[in-house]
Amino acid sequence: MPRRPVAVFAIAPWAFGGVFPADLVTRLQELVDIDPATTFTSFEGAAAAAALAEADILVTGWGAPRIDAGVLAAAPRLRAIVHAAGTVKAGVDPLVFERGVVVSSAAEANAVPVADYTMAMLVLGAKQVFSRARGYAAAVEGAPREWLRGEGTGLHDCTVGVIGASRIGRLVLRRLQSFEVEVLLYDPYVTAAEAARLGAEQVSMDDLCRRSDLVTVHAPALPETRHMLDGRRLDLLPDGAVVINTARGSLIDTEALTRSCAGGRISAILDVTDPEPLPPGHPLFSLPNVLVTPHLAGAQGRELRRLGEFAVAEVGRFLSGKPLLGQVEPEQLSYIA
Ligand SMILES: NC(=O)c1ccc[n+]([C@@H]2O[C@H](COP(=O)([O-])OP(=O)(O)OC[C@H]3O[C@@H](n4cnc5c(N)ncnc54)[C@H](O)[C@@H]3O)[C@@H](O)[C@H]2O)c1
């Protein structure tokens, strides 16, 4: 009888139950031999060595140890790393690709809640819900109630600037098609024709800033995207513009953003910051026109299961020789998250 493929879990226990509930483990066990009672966050020691010696597939997730030369040497049968979370870049040594081990990430599945969250924030941000709710809570009887009427608010007929047609950016672009808005896109990897297919007009970063009522950031953190929204570009934004960042804090110059928001000219909704977390008492926490959330847009709670489902399906595709949906190629590493 041919040997059944063997897989090994490497994922932090706090994430394991949410990403791989019992029914998904059962589905995985129909495909491979895998012990759900053992999940490694370190590959030191005899138990890890014995598991790696047999592993055809590593099913990794948050908290997985880096797959480096030592792990590869200990895992001579290893053919695939299926990562049940987003970015896998920092977790695999380039040697993994050189040895021909296939790497897959569930970034596509993690993109869904971020896109959903972004849409919610575009609607709430355009309506200035957060600052107006604060105005309501702090209202003094008899004082002017200008926050009540909402003049100049609402997403209808707005221009939305999307930075990056990344996995998340594309899902946002798709969702934006059901809103009555004009959509601009900046992405150096996308042609004007492709932008049009995505429902957007391709523009330069400066034009995007000049024309957008709302800007939503979805590019990866790379040397060339650091401070792509710097003080000069923030100054190009129209009065009353809203900046939404669910990507990475380094894409925006925090000091310049703090100055622009403190002056009241623009608002910001930030799920990510630089530094992250912000130091306690940072002005961005208390400005009435800024909402800072603790990096919660990606998969959490009930959304975690989607990562496990993606990974189980990916293991199935790998074993039956079908193309993987989340395969990461080494030449992509310079421009993906
Ligand atoms: N807030 C959260 O919880 C959360 C969760 C997941 C991802 N993220 C972040 O969201 C962002 C998007 O993630 P993803 O998985 O969709 O990314 P991705 O890997 O799909 O992004 C790659 C794409 O970004 C675009 N891009 C590359 N360089 C660019 C540049 N200089 N300017 C504009 N666009 C550029 C290209 O289209 C490229 O194909 C990343 O910054 C990621 O770290 C945040």
PDB file of all heavy atoms in Angstrom, residues 107 110-111 114 163-169 186-190 218-222 224-225 228 246-248 271-272 295-298 335-337, ligand 1:
ATOM      1  N   ALA A 107      -3.305  34.503   2.168  1.00  0.00           N
ATOM      2  CA  ALA A 107      -3.514  35.961   2.130  1.00  0.00           C
ATOM      3  C   ALA A 107      -4.822  36.317   1.430  1.00  0.00           C
ATOM      4  O   ALA A 107      -5.489  37.290   1.800  1.00  0.00           O
ATOM      5  CB  ALA A 107      -2.337  36.638   1.443  1.00  0.00           C
ATOM      6  N   ASN A 110      -7.468  36.000   3.941  1.00  0.00           N
ATOM      7  CA  ASN A 110      -7.334  37.053   4.959  1.00  0.00           C
ATOM      8  C   ASN A 110      -7.734  38.419   4.390  1.00  0.00           C
ATOM      9  O   ASN A 110      -8.036  39.342   5.132  1.00  0.00           O
ATOM     10  CB  ASN A 110      -5.890  37.101   5.478  1.00  0.00           C
ATOM     11  CG  ASN A 110      -5.785  37.790   6.829  1.00  0.00           C
ATOM     12  OD1 ASN A 110      -6.717  37.736   7.634  1.00  0.00           O
ATOM     13  ND2 ASN A 110      -4.674  38.456   7.074  1.00  0.00           N
ATOM     14  N   ALA A 111      -7.716  38.516   3.053  1.00  0.00           N
ATOM     15  CA  ALA A 111      -8.065  39.796   2.417  1.00  0.00           C
ATOM     16  C   ALA A 111      -9.553  40.116   2.579  1.00  0.00           C
ATOM     17  O   ALA A 111      -9.938  41.287   2.611  1.00  0.00           O
ATOM     18  CB  ALA A 111      -7.704  39.747   0.928  1.00  0.00           C
ATOM     19  N   VAL A 114     -10.600  42.255   5.583  1.00  0.00           N
ATOM     20  CA  VAL A 114     -10.013  43.601   5.491  1.00  0.00           C
ATOM     21  C   VAL A 114     -10.802  44.443   4.483  1.00  0.00           C
ATOM     22  O   VAL A 114     -11.086  45.624   4.720  1.00  0.00           O
ATOM     23  CB  VAL A 114      -8.514  43.553   5.109  1.00  0.00           C
ATOM     24  CG1 VAL A 114      -7.922  44.964   5.136  1.00  0.00           C
ATOM     25  CG2 VAL A 114      -7.736  42.634   6.035  1.00  0.00           C
ATOM     26  N   ILE A 163      -5.180  53.055  -3.183  1.00  0.00           N
ATOM     27  CA  ILE A 163      -3.728  52.928  -3.387  1.00  0.00           C
ATOM     28  C   ILE A 163      -3.381  51.448  -3.320  1.00  0.00           C
ATOM     29  O   ILE A 163      -3.417  50.837  -2.248  1.00  0.00           O
ATOM     30  CB  ILE A 163      -2.954  53.731  -2.321  1.00  0.00           C
ATOM     31  CG1 ILE A 163      -3.304  55.221  -2.438  1.00  0.00           C
ATOM     32  CG2 ILE A 163      -1.444  53.515  -2.486  1.00  0.00           C
ATOM     33  CD1 ILE A 163      -2.631  56.101  -1.397  1.00  0.00           C
ATOM     34  N   GLY A 164      -3.086  50.855  -4.470  1.00  0.00           N
ATOM     35  CA  GLY A 164      -2.685  49.448  -4.528  1.00  0.00           C
ATOM     36  C   GLY A 164      -3.824  48.521  -4.927  1.00  0.00           C
ATOM     37  O   GLY A 164      -4.785  48.377  -4.193  1.00  0.00           O
ATOM     38  N   ALA A 165      -3.689  47.911  -6.117  1.00  0.00           N
ATOM     39  CA  ALA A 165      -4.650  46.868  -6.534  1.00  0.00           C
ATOM     40  C   ALA A 165      -4.108  45.530  -6.052  1.00  0.00           C
ATOM     41  O   ALA A 165      -3.906  44.592  -6.817  1.00  0.00           O
ATOM     42  CB  ALA A 165      -4.824  46.877  -8.051  1.00  0.00           C
ATOM     43  N   SER A 166      -3.853  45.482  -4.763  1.00  0.00           N
ATOM     44  CA  SER A 166      -3.387  44.259  -4.114  1.00  0.00           C
ATOM     45  C   SER A 166      -4.578  43.310  -3.997  1.00  0.00           C
ATOM     46  O   SER A 166      -5.677  43.617  -4.456  1.00  0.00           O
ATOM     47  CB  SER A 166      -2.864  44.616  -2.732  1.00  0.00           C
ATOM     48  OG  SER A 166      -3.892  45.276  -2.009  1.00  0.00           O
ATOM     49  N   ARG A 167      -4.370  42.166  -3.326  1.00  0.00           N
ATOM     50  CA  ARG A 167      -5.513  41.266  -3.126  1.00  0.00           C
ATOM     51  C   ARG A 167      -6.647  42.013  -2.424  1.00  0.00           C
ATOM     52  O   ARG A 167      -7.803  41.957  -2.838  1.00  0.00           O
ATOM     53  CB  ARG A 167      -5.094  40.046  -2.294  1.00  0.00           C
ATOM     54  CG  ARG A 167      -4.412  38.995  -3.122  1.00  0.00           C
ATOM     55  CD  ARG A 167      -3.748  37.987  -2.235  1.00  0.00           C
ATOM     56  NE  ARG A 167      -2.476  38.529  -1.757  1.00  0.00           N
ATOM     57  CZ  ARG A 167      -1.337  37.851  -1.706  1.00  0.00           C
ATOM     58  NH1 ARG A 167      -1.319  36.603  -2.089  1.00  0.00           N
ATOM     59  NH2 ARG A 167      -0.235  38.404  -1.268  1.00  0.00           N
ATOM     60  N   ILE A 168      -6.281  42.741  -1.351  1.00  0.00           N
ATOM     61  CA  ILE A 168      -7.305  43.484  -0.614  1.00  0.00           C
ATOM     62  C   ILE A 168      -7.838  44.621  -1.481  1.00  0.00           C
ATOM     63  O   ILE A 168      -9.048  44.830  -1.592  1.00  0.00           O
ATOM     64  CB  ILE A 168      -6.735  44.025   0.715  1.00  0.00           C
ATOM     65  CG1 ILE A 168      -6.360  42.854   1.633  1.00  0.00           C
ATOM     66  CG2 ILE A 168      -7.727  44.963   1.399  1.00  0.00           C
ATOM     67  CD1 ILE A 168      -5.530  43.240   2.845  1.00  0.00           C
ATOM     68  N   GLY A 169      -6.918  45.349  -2.133  1.00  0.00           N
ATOM     69  CA  GLY A 169      -7.329  46.470  -2.981  1.00  0.00           C
ATOM     70  C   GLY A 169      -8.324  46.030  -4.046  1.00  0.00           C
ATOM     71  O   GLY A 169      -9.319  46.715  -4.310  1.00  0.00           O
ATOM     72  N   TYR A 186      -4.121  54.101  -7.884  1.00  0.00           N
ATOM     73  CA  TYR A 186      -2.676  54.211  -8.122  1.00  0.00           C
ATOM     74  C   TYR A 186      -2.049  52.851  -7.852  1.00  0.00           C
ATOM     75  O   TYR A 186      -2.195  52.300  -6.749  1.00  0.00           O
ATOM     76  CB  TYR A 186      -2.011  55.256  -7.211  1.00  0.00           C
ATOM     77  CG  TYR A 186      -0.510  55.143  -7.312  1.00  0.00           C
ATOM     78  CD1 TYR A 186       0.153  55.620  -8.448  1.00  0.00           C
ATOM     79  CD2 TYR A 186       0.232  54.480  -6.347  1.00  0.00           C
ATOM     80  CE1 TYR A 186       1.519  55.452  -8.594  1.00  0.00           C
ATOM     81  CE2 TYR A 186       1.606  54.308  -6.490  1.00  0.00           C
ATOM     82  CZ  TYR A 186       2.241  54.803  -7.621  1.00  0.00           C
ATOM     83  OH  TYR A 186       3.582  54.621  -7.772  1.00  0.00           O
ATOM     84  N   ASP A 187      -1.383  52.285  -8.853  1.00  0.00           N
ATOM     85  CA  ASP A 187      -0.639  51.033  -8.682  1.00  0.00           C
ATOM     86  C   ASP A 187       0.316  50.898  -9.855  1.00  0.00           C
ATOM     87  O   ASP A 187      -0.117  50.746 -11.001  1.00  0.00           O
ATOM     88  CB  ASP A 187      -1.606  49.833  -8.645  1.00  0.00           C
ATOM     89  CG  ASP A 187      -0.865  48.533  -8.311  1.00  0.00           C
ATOM     90  OD1 ASP A 187       0.300  48.369  -8.745  1.00  0.00           O
ATOM     91  OD2 ASP A 187      -1.448  47.689  -7.623  1.00  0.00           O
ATOM     92  N   PRO A 188       1.632  50.992  -9.590  1.00  0.00           N
ATOM     93  CA  PRO A 188       2.583  50.953 -10.707  1.00  0.00           C
ATOM     94  C   PRO A 188       2.620  49.609 -11.429  1.00  0.00           C
ATOM     95  O   PRO A 188       3.223  49.502 -12.493  1.00  0.00           O
ATOM     96  CB  PRO A 188       3.934  51.249 -10.029  1.00  0.00           C
ATOM     97  CG  PRO A 188       3.739  50.930  -8.584  1.00  0.00           C
ATOM     98  CD  PRO A 188       2.286  51.151  -8.287  1.00  0.00           C
ATOM     99  N   TYR A 189       1.979  48.579 -10.864  1.00  0.00           N
ATOM    100  CA  TYR A 189       1.997  47.250 -11.492  1.00  0.00           C
ATOM    101  C   TYR A 189       0.753  46.992 -12.342  1.00  0.00           C
ATOM    102  O   TYR A 189       0.571  45.887 -12.848  1.00  0.00           O
ATOM    103  CB  TYR A 189       2.124  46.154 -10.421  1.00  0.00           C
ATOM    104  CG  TYR A 189       3.462  46.209  -9.727  1.00  0.00           C
ATOM    105  CD1 TYR A 189       3.642  46.998  -8.593  1.00  0.00           C
ATOM    106  CD2 TYR A 189       4.557  45.515 -10.233  1.00  0.00           C
ATOM    107  CE1 TYR A 189       4.874  47.079  -7.968  1.00  0.00           C
ATOM    108  CE2 TYR A 189       5.791  45.585  -9.625  1.00  0.00           C
ATOM    109  CZ  TYR A 189       5.943  46.374  -8.487  1.00  0.00           C
ATOM    110  OH  TYR A 189       7.174  46.463  -7.881  1.00  0.00           O
ATOM    111  N   VAL A 190      -0.102  47.992 -12.471  1.00  0.00           N
ATOM    112  CA  VAL A 190      -1.377  47.801 -13.171  1.00  0.00           C
ATOM    113  C   VAL A 190      -1.439  48.754 -14.357  1.00  0.00           C
ATOM    114  O   VAL A 190      -1.076  49.929 -14.237  1.00  0.00           O
ATOM    115  CB  VAL A 190      -2.541  48.050 -12.174  1.00  0.00           C
ATOM    116  CG1 VAL A 190      -3.855  48.207 -12.893  1.00  0.00           C
ATOM    117  CG2 VAL A 190      -2.629  46.898 -11.169  1.00  0.00           C
ATOM    118  N   HIS A 218      -3.852  50.301   0.387  1.00  0.00           N
ATOM    119  CA  HIS A 218      -3.790  48.831   0.341  1.00  0.00           C
ATOM    120  C   HIS A 218      -2.496  48.298  -0.257  1.00  0.00           C
ATOM    121  O   HIS A 218      -2.445  47.147  -0.696  1.00  0.00           O
ATOM    122  CB  HIS A 218      -4.992  48.293  -0.450  1.00  0.00           C
ATOM    123  CG  HIS A 218      -6.291  48.697   0.136  1.00  0.00           C
ATOM    124  ND1 HIS A 218      -6.701  48.265   1.375  1.00  0.00           N
ATOM    125  CD2 HIS A 218      -7.262  49.547  -0.305  1.00  0.00           C
ATOM    126  CE1 HIS A 218      -7.876  48.813   1.664  1.00  0.00           C
ATOM    127  NE2 HIS A 218      -8.226  49.596   0.671  1.00  0.00           N
ATOM    128  N   ALA A 219      -1.446  49.120  -0.300  1.00  0.00           N
ATOM    129  CA  ALA A 219      -0.170  48.643  -0.857  1.00  0.00           C
ATOM    130  C   ALA A 219       0.629  47.933   0.240  1.00  0.00           C
ATOM    131  O   ALA A 219       0.399  48.151   1.429  1.00  0.00           O
ATOM    132  CB  ALA A 219       0.612  49.830  -1.406  1.00  0.00           C
ATOM    133  N   PRO A 220       1.561  47.059  -0.157  1.00  0.00           N
ATOM    134  CA  PRO A 220       2.401  46.400   0.858  1.00  0.00           C
ATOM    135  C   PRO A 220       3.466  47.349   1.410  1.00  0.00           C
ATOM    136  O   PRO A 220       3.794  48.355   0.776  1.00  0.00           O
ATOM    137  CB  PRO A 220       3.080  45.270   0.072  1.00  0.00           C
ATOM    138  CG  PRO A 220       2.637  45.367  -1.338  1.00  0.00           C
ATOM    139  CD  PRO A 220       1.864  46.614  -1.531  1.00  0.00           C
ATOM    140  N   ALA A 221       3.991  47.012   2.569  1.00  0.00           N
ATOM    141  CA  ALA A 221       5.117  47.769   3.142  1.00  0.00           C
ATOM    142  C   ALA A 221       6.390  47.326   2.424  1.00  0.00           C
ATOM    143  O   ALA A 221       6.826  46.180   2.564  1.00  0.00           O
ATOM    144  CB  ALA A 221       5.224  47.496   4.639  1.00  0.00           C
ATOM    145  N   LEU A 222       6.963  48.215   1.638  1.00  0.00           N
ATOM    146  CA  LEU A 222       8.185  47.943   0.881  1.00  0.00           C
ATOM    147  C   LEU A 222       9.057  49.186   1.019  1.00  0.00           C
ATOM    148  O   LEU A 222       8.537  50.259   1.369  1.00  0.00           O
ATOM    149  CB  LEU A 222       7.858  47.737  -0.616  1.00  0.00           C
ATOM    150  CG  LEU A 222       6.841  46.654  -0.965  1.00  0.00           C
ATOM    151  CD1 LEU A 222       6.419  46.766  -2.423  1.00  0.00           C
ATOM    152  CD2 LEU A 222       7.448  45.268  -0.694  1.00  0.00           C
ATOM    153  N   GLU A 224       9.998  51.171  -1.193  1.00  0.00           N
ATOM    154  CA  GLU A 224       9.482  52.253  -2.047  1.00  0.00           C
ATOM    155  C   GLU A 224       8.086  52.747  -1.640  1.00  0.00           C
ATOM    156  O   GLU A 224       7.617  53.757  -2.156  1.00  0.00           O
ATOM    157  CB  GLU A 224       9.500  51.850  -3.533  1.00  0.00           C
ATOM    158  CG  GLU A 224       8.663  50.642  -3.899  1.00  0.00           C
ATOM    159  CD  GLU A 224       9.423  49.320  -3.769  1.00  0.00           C
ATOM    160  OE1 GLU A 224      10.392  49.241  -2.977  1.00  0.00           O
ATOM    161  OE2 GLU A 224       9.027  48.366  -4.456  1.00  0.00           O
ATOM    162  N   THR A 225       7.416  52.040  -0.741  1.00  0.00           N
ATOM    163  CA  THR A 225       6.094  52.543  -0.322  1.00  0.00           C
ATOM    164  C   THR A 225       6.165  53.277   1.020  1.00  0.00           C
ATOM    165  O   THR A 225       5.164  53.810   1.483  1.00  0.00           O
ATOM    166  CB  THR A 225       5.048  51.407  -0.210  1.00  0.00           C
ATOM    167  OG1 THR A 225       5.490  50.444   0.746  1.00  0.00           O
ATOM    168  CG2 THR A 225       4.801  50.738  -1.543  1.00  0.00           C
ATOM    169  N   MET A 228       4.673  56.886   1.413  1.00  0.00           N
ATOM    170  CA  MET A 228       4.119  57.291   0.106  1.00  0.00           C
ATOM    171  C   MET A 228       3.052  58.378   0.305  1.00  0.00           C
ATOM    172  O   MET A 228       2.841  59.203  -0.574  1.00  0.00           O
ATOM    173  CB  MET A 228       3.629  56.096  -0.717  1.00  0.00           C
ATOM    174  CG  MET A 228       2.472  55.323  -0.173  1.00  0.00           C
ATOM    175  SD  MET A 228       2.304  53.702  -0.997  1.00  0.00           S
ATOM    176  CE  MET A 228       2.098  54.162  -2.720  1.00  0.00           C
ATOM    177  N   THR A 246      -5.584  50.527   6.297  1.00  0.00           N
ATOM    178  CA  THR A 246      -5.642  49.170   6.860  1.00  0.00           C
ATOM    179  C   THR A 246      -4.435  48.368   6.392  1.00  0.00           C
ATOM    180  O   THR A 246      -4.402  47.157   6.574  1.00  0.00           O
ATOM    181  CB  THR A 246      -6.916  48.420   6.403  1.00  0.00           C
ATOM    182  OG1 THR A 246      -6.902  48.376   4.972  1.00  0.00           O
ATOM    183  CG2 THR A 246      -8.186  49.076   6.907  1.00  0.00           C
ATOM    184  N   ALA A 247      -3.447  49.060   5.754  1.00  0.00           N
ATOM    185  CA  ALA A 247      -2.316  48.328   5.161  1.00  0.00           C
ATOM    186  C   ALA A 247      -1.181  48.205   6.179  1.00  0.00           C
ATOM    187  O   ALA A 247      -1.168  47.266   6.991  1.00  0.00           O
ATOM    188  CB  ALA A 247      -1.876  49.006   3.877  1.00  0.00           C
ATOM    189  N   ARG A 248      -0.269  49.160   6.169  1.00  0.00           N
ATOM    190  CA  ARG A 248       0.805  49.196   7.158  1.00  0.00           C
ATOM    191  C   ARG A 248       1.092  50.651   7.512  1.00  0.00           C
ATOM    192  O   ARG A 248       1.057  51.524   6.637  1.00  0.00           O
ATOM    193  CB  ARG A 248       2.081  48.529   6.617  1.00  0.00           C
ATOM    194  CG  ARG A 248       2.031  47.010   6.581  1.00  0.00           C
ATOM    195  CD  ARG A 248       2.025  46.387   7.989  1.00  0.00           C
ATOM    196  NE  ARG A 248       1.997  44.929   7.992  1.00  0.00           N
ATOM    197  CZ  ARG A 248       0.895  44.178   8.072  1.00  0.00           C
ATOM    198  NH1 ARG A 248      -0.290  44.755   8.136  1.00  0.00           N
ATOM    199  NH2 ARG A 248       0.972  42.865   8.101  1.00  0.00           N
ATOM    200  N   ASP A 271      -6.159  51.557  11.090  1.00  0.00           N
ATOM    201  CA  ASP A 271      -6.119  50.246  11.745  1.00  0.00           C
ATOM    202  C   ASP A 271      -4.668  49.839  12.004  1.00  0.00           C
ATOM    203  O   ASP A 271      -4.408  48.880  12.727  1.00  0.00           O
ATOM    204  CB  ASP A 271      -6.804  49.188  10.860  1.00  0.00           C
ATOM    205  CG  ASP A 271      -6.967  47.865  11.582  1.00  0.00           C
ATOM    206  OD1 ASP A 271      -7.414  47.884  12.754  1.00  0.00           O
ATOM    207  OD2 ASP A 271      -6.639  46.820  11.002  1.00  0.00           O
ATOM    208  N   VAL A 272      -3.750  50.565  11.360  1.00  0.00           N
ATOM    209  CA  VAL A 272      -2.318  50.291  11.496  1.00  0.00           C
ATOM    210  C   VAL A 272      -1.609  51.623  11.664  1.00  0.00           C
ATOM    211  O   VAL A 272      -2.076  52.635  11.135  1.00  0.00           O
ATOM    212  CB  VAL A 272      -1.783  49.557  10.242  1.00  0.00           C
ATOM    213  CG1 VAL A 272      -2.289  48.124  10.177  1.00  0.00           C
ATOM    214  CG2 VAL A 272      -2.179  50.299   8.969  1.00  0.00           C
ATOM    215  N   HIS A 295      -5.218  47.120  14.842  1.00  0.00           N
ATOM    216  CA  HIS A 295      -4.870  46.129  13.806  1.00  0.00           C
ATOM    217  C   HIS A 295      -5.866  44.953  13.838  1.00  0.00           C
ATOM    218  O   HIS A 295      -5.467  43.800  14.004  1.00  0.00           O
ATOM    219  CB  HIS A 295      -3.430  45.630  14.043  1.00  0.00           C
ATOM    220  CG  HIS A 295      -2.772  45.112  12.797  1.00  0.00           C
ATOM    221  ND1 HIS A 295      -1.488  45.396  12.463  1.00  0.00           N
ATOM    222  CD2 HIS A 295      -3.230  44.318  11.806  1.00  0.00           C
ATOM    223  CE1 HIS A 295      -1.171  44.797  11.323  1.00  0.00           C
ATOM    224  NE2 HIS A 295      -2.229  44.140  10.904  1.00  0.00           N
ATOM    225  N   LEU A 296      -7.130  45.305  13.687  1.00  0.00           N
ATOM    226  CA  LEU A 296      -8.170  44.278  13.830  1.00  0.00           C
ATOM    227  C   LEU A 296      -8.911  43.976  12.541  1.00  0.00           C
ATOM    228  O   LEU A 296      -9.857  43.184  12.527  1.00  0.00           O
ATOM    229  CB  LEU A 296      -9.172  44.698  14.932  1.00  0.00           C
ATOM    230  CG  LEU A 296      -9.727  46.124  14.924  1.00  0.00           C
ATOM    231  CD1 LEU A 296     -10.655  46.394  13.768  1.00  0.00           C
ATOM    232  CD2 LEU A 296     -10.404  46.446  16.245  1.00  0.00           C
ATOM    233  N   ALA A 297      -8.479  44.613  11.414  1.00  0.00           N
ATOM    234  CA  ALA A 297      -9.249  44.439  10.176  1.00  0.00           C
ATOM    235  C   ALA A 297      -9.109  43.032   9.593  1.00  0.00           C
ATOM    236  O   ALA A 297     -10.032  42.512   8.976  1.00  0.00           O
ATOM    237  CB  ALA A 297      -8.814  45.476   9.141  1.00  0.00           C
ATOM    238  N   GLY A 298      -7.961  42.392   9.801  1.00  0.00           N
ATOM    239  CA  GLY A 298      -7.748  41.045   9.260  1.00  0.00           C
ATOM    240  C   GLY A 298      -8.558  40.010  10.026  1.00  0.00           C
ATOM    241  O   GLY A 298      -9.315  40.341  10.946  1.00  0.00           O
ATOM    242  N   TYR A 335       7.423  42.551  -4.386  1.00  0.00           N
ATOM    243  CA  TYR A 335       6.289  43.481  -4.508  1.00  0.00           C
ATOM    244  C   TYR A 335       5.015  43.014  -3.813  1.00  0.00           C
ATOM    245  O   TYR A 335       3.970  43.652  -3.960  1.00  0.00           O
ATOM    246  CB  TYR A 335       6.010  43.812  -5.993  1.00  0.00           C
ATOM    247  CG  TYR A 335       5.576  42.641  -6.851  1.00  0.00           C
ATOM    248  CD1 TYR A 335       4.233  42.276  -6.937  1.00  0.00           C
ATOM    249  CD2 TYR A 335       6.498  41.918  -7.581  1.00  0.00           C
ATOM    250  CE1 TYR A 335       3.836  41.210  -7.725  1.00  0.00           C
ATOM    251  CE2 TYR A 335       6.115  40.847  -8.368  1.00  0.00           C
ATOM    252  CZ  TYR A 335       4.788  40.498  -8.449  1.00  0.00           C
ATOM    253  OH  TYR A 335       4.393  39.439  -9.217  1.00  0.00           O
ATOM    254  N   ILE A 336       5.093  41.913  -3.053  1.00  0.00           N
ATOM    255  CA  ILE A 336       3.887  41.502  -2.314  1.00  0.00           C
ATOM    256  C   ILE A 336       4.066  41.772  -0.819  1.00  0.00           C
ATOM    257  O   ILE A 336       5.173  42.009  -0.343  1.00  0.00           O
ATOM    258  CB  ILE A 336       3.531  40.010  -2.545  1.00  0.00           C
ATOM    259  CG1 ILE A 336       4.637  39.071  -2.027  1.00  0.00           C
ATOM    260  CG2 ILE A 336       3.189  39.747  -3.988  1.00  0.00           C
ATOM    261  CD1 ILE A 336       4.248  37.617  -1.996  1.00  0.00           C
ATOM    262  N   ALA A 337       2.921  41.706  -0.128  1.00  0.00           N
ATOM    263  CA  ALA A 337       2.940  41.933   1.319  1.00  0.00           C
ATOM    264  C   ALA A 337       3.555  40.721   2.007  1.00  0.00           C
ATOM    265  O   ALA A 337       3.480  39.612   1.510  1.00  0.00           O
ATOM    266  CB  ALA A 337       1.536  42.159   1.827  1.00  0.00           C
TER     267      ALA A 337
HETATM  268  N1  LIG B   1      -5.016  45.459   8.868  1.00  0.00           N
HETATM  269  C1  LIG B   1      -4.875  44.157   8.752  1.00  0.00           C
HETATM  270  O1  LIG B   1      -5.269  43.398   9.634  1.00  0.00           O
HETATM  271  C2  LIG B   1      -4.215  43.574   7.520  1.00  0.00           C
HETATM  272  C3  LIG B   1      -4.499  42.245   7.159  1.00  0.00           C
HETATM  273  C4  LIG B   1      -3.931  41.741   5.983  1.00  0.00           C
HETATM  274  C5  LIG B   1      -3.089  42.545   5.193  1.00  0.00           C
HETATM  275  N2  LIG B   1      -2.817  43.817   5.590  1.00  0.00           N
HETATM  276  C6  LIG B   1      -1.995  44.707   4.767  1.00  0.00           C
HETATM  277  O2  LIG B   1      -2.800  45.110   3.660  1.00  0.00           O
HETATM  278  C7  LIG B   1      -1.954  45.414   2.537  1.00  0.00           C
HETATM  279  C8  LIG B   1      -2.425  44.634   1.310  1.00  0.00           C
HETATM  280  O3  LIG B   1      -2.274  43.232   1.560  1.00  0.00           O
HETATM  281  P1  LIG B   1      -2.459  42.186   0.351  1.00  0.00           P
HETATM  282  O4  LIG B   1      -2.267  40.810   0.887  1.00  0.00           O
HETATM  283  O5  LIG B   1      -3.696  42.532  -0.383  1.00  0.00           O
HETATM  284  O6  LIG B   1      -1.197  42.614  -0.542  1.00  0.00           O
HETATM  285  P2  LIG B   1      -0.600  41.917  -1.861  1.00  0.00           P
HETATM  286  O7  LIG B   1       0.534  41.029  -1.501  1.00  0.00           O
HETATM  287  O8  LIG B   1      -1.704  41.329  -2.667  1.00  0.00           O
HETATM  288  O9  LIG B   1      -0.009  43.223  -2.573  1.00  0.00           O
HETATM  289  C9  LIG B   1       0.753  43.097  -3.720  1.00  0.00           C
HETATM  290  C10 LIG B   1       0.264  44.084  -4.746  1.00  0.00           C
HETATM  291  O10 LIG B   1       0.373  45.439  -4.266  1.00  0.00           O
HETATM  292  C11 LIG B   1       0.521  46.306  -5.374  1.00  0.00           C
HETATM  293  N3  LIG B   1       1.706  47.156  -5.155  1.00  0.00           N
HETATM  294  C12 LIG B   1       3.002  46.759  -5.030  1.00  0.00           C
HETATM  295  N4  LIG B   1       3.808  47.834  -4.904  1.00  0.00           N
HETATM  296  C13 LIG B   1       3.001  48.926  -4.952  1.00  0.00           C
HETATM  297  C14 LIG B   1       3.251  50.327  -4.893  1.00  0.00           C
HETATM  298  N5  LIG B   1       4.504  50.820  -4.807  1.00  0.00           N
HETATM  299  N6  LIG B   1       2.211  51.164  -4.956  1.00  0.00           N
HETATM  300  C15 LIG B   1       0.938  50.684  -5.075  1.00  0.00           C
HETATM  301  N7  LIG B   1       0.646  49.374  -5.177  1.00  0.00           N
HETATM  302  C16 LIG B   1       1.663  48.503  -5.103  1.00  0.00           C
HETATM  303  C17 LIG B   1       0.731  45.418  -6.595  1.00  0.00           C
HETATM  304  O11 LIG B   1      -0.505  45.330  -7.295  1.00  0.00           O
HETATM  305  C18 LIG B   1       1.084  44.073  -6.012  1.00  0.00           C
HETATM  306  O12 LIG B   1       0.695  42.996  -6.851  1.00  0.00           O
HETATM  307  C19 LIG B   1      -0.534  45.064   2.994  1.00  0.00           C
HETATM  308  O13 LIG B   1       0.108  46.227   3.454  1.00  0.00           O
HETATM  309  C20 LIG B   1      -0.758  44.096   4.134  1.00  0.00           C
HETATM  310  O14 LIG B   1       0.350  44.059   4.991  1.00  0.00           O
HETATM  311  C21 LIG B   1      -3.381  44.346   6.732  1.00  0.00           C
END
